[in-house]
């Protein structure tokens, strides 16, 4: 192992560039060509790659430093034979310039466009790709304009990215963007037609400022400078200079310029993160890798999809090596199991749960239900306790509409639903599913019996359509056919309450004179204590109990 200097390679003509991002830290292992720093001239940002494979021992520059060709920016311990001879080292140090050599001095400047013939009035021209300093077939990563946009000379039309640099292709004309002739991902080289534009001419003195006509050199100040200044002013007026990487995001601003290097853009693409929604915490509000990572993490937390992350700063559960205790087998979770696990965790962590219990006297209800057996056989529908529970819950929700809501905490609003759709938890071989019965309040017991049986069967057969699992206001989870005396169900967010039903049992009930044998159905109502208070919880569960105890009340 030998230590070697990491030097700034040939910068393709730029005298001095600014370090805008340091992509490695002391102790990091890197491969040859791995990006070490991002530097930026006034025209382009470029990553300086590692001259070889090894371990970084020191970085001697900081963000904001100006560097030029030959400057030492760090040290590394080369692995393998990366130490090599001095000649070899020099070659590797110059690896950047040997692979792709974007011209940091003139990058993005369009070659003089042949002057379109001048006529008076409007004229259609086609903006083409200028010389790209040796680069060919570079992919377009962003189209910066839309049809109908007014652009000025040098405004960026598209952004392309080689494996080392990101650059904007500026417009050679001022005018209105017409048909866009390229698409994102398309690879372009010099001469490729980008967009059609309508330019205005006024007896040959019009707004067209084709470089050939007006400048012997392309315009001095590039659009990057102009737009960066504009973006900076806008952002400065919104907030003070950022200090920490920030995961905050805003709705995309159409046409806003994004400042990010190639590695950051690549990372964002890999995560599917929209750079327009990420605030940069780097110099000049440049988006750095930390910003992308923080943004992605915050998005996943919002979706509740960070595996092993509680989403509430509570450390995840650490697993021991189970094999030390005996033989184990591992198997992949099904997608449904993983989704259910995340939903449960999200609900448990977001919702302050309270559970209240009640025993409903269903002796009369069961007599009535059993009396329907023959009628059910005729109809081909089995009448279980579930339709009664559905009907009782719908009636109770109509009477206590404070339970038929969802909370929009972001907008500080309560969403009051003007419909009563109820989900039923169904145990399937693939896991828990919750099909939804719509407009329960408008349906009769037979209809509810038929529909719940059909949806439960569809759930077990994996035949449910997405729409059949959406839109519930409330959920019933019945373990009555299985057993148990009570349980505390987890609210199925964004609903605010759920009714758990356990197994009915004969119990001695005091009627004021003596104990009577009654069939009692244990109910557990869990609710979101942000949305409803304990008094309401008590009212709802008592009401459901009363309705089940005396079915005539369902008619009132
Ligand atoms: N007490 C006593 N018996 C009950 C009862 C109760 N609360 N609820 C139902 N039963 C009886 C039924 O009457 C039926 O008996 P018979 O065959 O003698 O008539 C038997 O239990 C089976 O009923 P069922 O389960 O077929 O029908 P259902 O309408 O009561 O329930 C469904 C349908 C889909 C809710 C149920 O099949 C199911 O999947 N339950 C599990 C829900 C679940 O997983 N919850 C947990 C979610 S949290 O992890």
């Amino acid at each position: 192992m030998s230590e070697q200097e990491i030097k700034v390679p040939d910068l393709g003509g730029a005298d001095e560039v600014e370090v805008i991002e340091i992509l490695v830290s002391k102790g990091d292992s890197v491969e040859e060509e791995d990006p070490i720093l991002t530097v930026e001239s006034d025209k382009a940002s470029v990553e300086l790659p590692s001259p070889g494979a090894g371990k970084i021992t020191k970085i001697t520059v900081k963000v904001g430093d100006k560097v030029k060709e030959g400057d030492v920016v760090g040290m590394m311990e080369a692995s393998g034979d990366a130490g090599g001879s001095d000649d070899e080292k020099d070659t590797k140090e110059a690896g950047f310039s040997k692979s792709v050599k974007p011209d940091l001095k003139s990058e993005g400047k369009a070659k003089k466009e042949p002057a379109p013939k001048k006529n008076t009035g409007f004229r259609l021209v086609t903006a083409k790709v200028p010389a790209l300093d040796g680069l060919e077939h570079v992919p377009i990563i962003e189209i910066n304009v839309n049809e109908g946009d007014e652009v000025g000379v040098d405004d960026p039309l598209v952004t392309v990215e080689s494996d080392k640099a990101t650059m904007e292709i500026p417009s050679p004309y001022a005018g209105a963007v017409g048909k866009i002739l390229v698409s994102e991902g398309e690879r372009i080289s010099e001469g490729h037609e980008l967009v059609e534009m309508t330019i205005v001419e006024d007896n040959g003195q019009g707004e067209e400022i084709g470089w050939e006509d007006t400048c012997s050199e392309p315009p001095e100040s590039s659009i990057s400078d102009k737009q960066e200044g504009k973006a900076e002013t806008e952002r400065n007026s919104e907030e003070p200079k950022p200090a920490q990487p920030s995961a905050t995001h805003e709705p995309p601003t159409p046409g806003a310029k994004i400042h990010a290097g190639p590695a950051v853009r690549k990372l964002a693409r890999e995560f599917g993160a929209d750079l327009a929604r990420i605030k940069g915490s780097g110099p000049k509000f440049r988006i750095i890798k930390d910003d992308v990572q923080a943004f992605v993490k915050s998005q996943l937390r919002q979706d509740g999809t960070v595996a092993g992350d509680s989403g509430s700063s509570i450390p995840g559960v650490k697993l021991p090596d189970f094999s030390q205790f005996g033989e184990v087998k591992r198997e992949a979770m099904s997608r449904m199991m993983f989704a259910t696990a995340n939903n449960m965790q999200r609900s448990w962590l977001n919702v302050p749960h309270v559970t209240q219990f009640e025993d409903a006297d269903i002796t009369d209800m069961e007599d009535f239900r059993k009396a329907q057996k023959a009628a059910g056989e005729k109809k081909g529908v089995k009448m279980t306790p579930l339709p009664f529970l559905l009907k009782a819950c719908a009636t109770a929700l109509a009477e206590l509409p404070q339970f038929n809501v969802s909370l929009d905490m972001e907008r500080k609003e309560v969403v009051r639903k003007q419909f009563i759709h109820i989900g039923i938890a169904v145990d399937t071989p693939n896991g828990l599913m919750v099909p939804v019965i719509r407009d329960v309040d408008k349906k009769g017991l037979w209809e509810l019996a038929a529909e719940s049986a059909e949806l439960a069967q569809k759930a077990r057969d994996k035949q449910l359509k997405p729409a059949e699992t959406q839109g519930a206001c409330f959920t019933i989870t019945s373990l009555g056919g299985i057993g148990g005396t009570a349980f505390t169900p987890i609210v199925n967010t964004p609903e605010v309450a759920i009714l758990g039903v356990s197994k009915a049992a004969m119990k001695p009930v005091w009627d004021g004179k003596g104990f009577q044998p009654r069939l009692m159905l244990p109910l557990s109502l869990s609710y979101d204590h942000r949305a409803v208070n304990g008094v309401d919880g008590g009212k709802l569960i008592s009401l459901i109990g009363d309705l089940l105890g005396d079915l005539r009340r369902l008619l009132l």
Side-chain angles (χ1 to χ4, degrees):
M1 292 246 180
S2 61
E3 207 172 35
Q4 69 177 85
E5 293 175 333
I6 306 169
K7 288 184 182 173
V8 176
D10 176 5
L11 292 169
D15 298 335
E16 214 178 36
V17 289
E18 186 180 334
V19 177
I20 58 161
E21 199 177 351
I22 296 173
L23 304 164
V24 292
S25 310
K26 186 180 166 188
D28 282 358
S29 293
V30 291
E31 295 297 324
E32 183 170 354
E33 297 278 315
D34 275 359
I36 303 267
L37 306 173
T38 309
V39 295
E40 188 179 62
S41 72
D42 58 346
K43 304 293 182 294
S45 61
V46 170
E47 284 168 358
L48 302 189
S50 169
K55 191 178 262 187
I56 304 292
T57 53
K58 200 190 280 180
I59 291 291
T60 52
V61 288
K62 53 185 189 319
V63 170
D65 284 358
K66 304 265 191 220
V67 292
K68 56 185 185 316
E69 182 182 346
D71 283 354
V72 176
V73 294
M75 303 290 292
M76 68 184 293
E77 236 171 37
S79 58
D81 61 0
S85 67
D86 282 351
D87 283 356
E88 280 166 8
K89 270 196 273 173
D90 285 345
T91 307
K92 282 173 178 164
E93 280 158 5
F96 166 71
S97 60
K98 292 217 178 319
S99 47
V100 180
K101 188 175 168 182
D103 183 348
L104 281 166
K105 201 171 180 185
S106 58
E107 196 149 291
K109 288 180 178 176
K111 197 178 159 188
K112 291 173 189 176
E113 284 289 318
K117 269 194 162 181
K118 291 195 170 185
N119 291 313
T120 303
F122 296 98
R123 201 150 52 81
L124 192 69
V125 292
T126 304
K128 295 180 186 165
V129 178
L132 294 173
D133 294 301
L135 291 181
E136 284 188 328
H137 310 298
V138 279
I140 295 175
I141 57 163
E142 216 172 314
I143 295 182
N144 308 102
V145 289
N146 293 309
E147 217 174 303
D149 283 357
E150 287 291 334
V151 297
V153 172
D154 227 7
D155 278 356
L157 295 175
V158 299
T159 306
V160 294
E161 184 181 76
S162 73
D163 53 350
K164 300 290 181 294
T166 306
M167 65 191 102
E168 288 164 351
I169 308 287
S171 171
Y173 310 113
V177 174
K179 197 169 169 194
I180 295 175
L181 306 169
V182 285
S183 50
E184 273 183 23
E186 193 172 332
R187 290 176 178 271
I188 56 172
S189 305
E190 182 180 351
H192 203 111
E193 296 189 340
L194 291 174
V195 294
E196 287 179 356
M197 292 176 64
T198 306
I199 59 171
V200 183
E201 281 188 344
D202 181 11
N203 295 324
Q205 306 296 313
E207 289 180 20
E208 182 202 347
I209 322 171
W211 291 343
E212 189 163 293
D213 302 329
T214 54
C215 321
S216 53
E217 285 289 314
E220 266 304 308
S221 81
S222 78
I223 196 67
S224 304
D225 300 333
K226 282 189 258 164
Q227 288 218 336
E228 197 153 286
K230 187 171 161 236
E232 210 169 319
T233 315
E234 279 166 6
R235 286 175 176 170
N236 276 338
S237 64
E238 274 168 25
E239 57 170 350
K241 208 175 171 168
Q244 294 291 323
S246 140
T248 52
H249 56 276
E250 296 169 336
T253 316
K257 181 162 164 37
I258 291 159
H259 300 283
V264 171
R265 286 176 185 273
K266 186 163 175 257
L267 184 73
R269 273 204 306 281
E270 281 167 1
F271 280 126
D274 181 357
L275 283 171
R277 299 182 64 204
I278 303 177
K279 273 190 192 166
S281 66
K284 297 182 187 169
F285 299 94
R286 174 169 292 277
I287 300 168
I288 60 174
K289 278 186 175 174
D290 283 352
D291 298 327
V292 175
Q293 280 160 348
F295 174 78
V296 170
K297 210 165 180 187
S298 79
Q299 294 294 296
L300 289 175
R301 282 214 175 111
Q302 276 174 28
D303 293 350
T305 46
V306 178
D309 185 331
S310 64
S312 66
S313 307
I314 301 168
V317 176
K318 293 262 178 300
L319 296 183
D321 173 10
F322 294 106
S323 64
Q324 64 184 304
F325 310 120
E327 196 189 340
V328 290
K329 284 183 185 157
R330 282 179 170 266
E331 63 185 40
M333 285 185 195
S334 67
R335 277 180 54 188
M336 196 195 289
M337 184 179 179
F338 188 67
T340 304
N342 277 316
N343 286 343
M344 292 294 171
Q345 186 178 27
R346 178 170 47 196
S347 179
W348 184 251
L349 291 170
N350 278 301
V351 173
H353 280 74
V354 176
T355 307
Q356 270 174 259
F357 304 93
E358 174 73 298
D359 277 352
D361 185 338
I362 58 163
T363 318
D364 297 339
M365 183 197 99
E366 275 298 274
D367 288 345
F368 176 71
R369 184 180 75 84
K370 283 180 182 149
Q372 306 309 310
K373 202 172 171 202
E377 275 164 13
K378 262 196 205 158
K379 288 175 190 285
V381 179
K382 184 176 171 187
M383 182 67 81
T384 67
L386 188 62
F388 295 90
L389 288 161
L390 282 163
K391 205 70 203 162
C393 289
T395 306
L397 287 176
E399 209 160 301
L400 296 167
Q402 57 269 48
F403 284 88
N404 195 6
V405 301
S406 286
L407 299 184
D408 186 337
M409 297 304 283
E410 252 177 46
R411 293 169 59 171
K412 300 191 183 117
E413 286 174 2
V414 177
V415 183
R416 296 195 183 280
K417 294 155 198 183
Q418 308 300 307
F419 49 87
I420 299 179
H421 304 340
I422 297 182
I424 47 169
V426 178
D427 180 38
T428 80
N430 309 298
L432 178 67
M433 298 212 70
V434 187
V436 178
I437 302 185
R438 288 172 186 267
D439 300 315
V440 176
D441 53 323
K442 299 186 181 121
K443 291 176 179 166
L445 286 170
W446 286 115
E447 202 177 350
L448 292 172
E451 200 175 332
S452 56
E454 188 194 331
L455 285 173
Q457 195 52 48
K458 272 179 145 182
R460 292 182 194 111
D461 297 343
K462 293 194 202 171
Q463 296 294 320
L464 283 176
K465 297 191 188 92
E468 289 171 322
T469 61
Q470 292 162 0
C473 312
F474 182 87
T475 294
I476 297 174
T477 172
S478 172
L479 292 174
I482 297 158
T485 53
F487 64 109
T488 54
I490 297 177
V491 171
N492 191 16
T493 50
E495 298 153 36
V496 298
I498 180 167
L499 183 75
V501 183
S502 297
K503 193 175 178 69
M506 292 302 289
K507 286 186 182 169
V509 176
W510 182 256
D511 69 356
K513 290 183 198 137
F515 284 102
Q516 305 299 330
R518 305 295 291 178
L519 185 63
M520 304 304 286
L521 179 71
L523 304 175
S524 318
L525 175 75
S526 291
Y527 54 87
D528 181 342
H529 209 344
R530 297 171 307 168
V532 275
N533 59 36
V535 171
D536 290 331
K539 280 185 192 167
L540 188 81
I541 199 166
S542 306
L543 181 55
I544 294 171
D546 289 350
L547 292 166
L548 293 171
D550 185 353
L551 296 181
R552 292 170 304 177
R553 289 194 57 181
L554 289 174
L555 302 170
L556 296 174

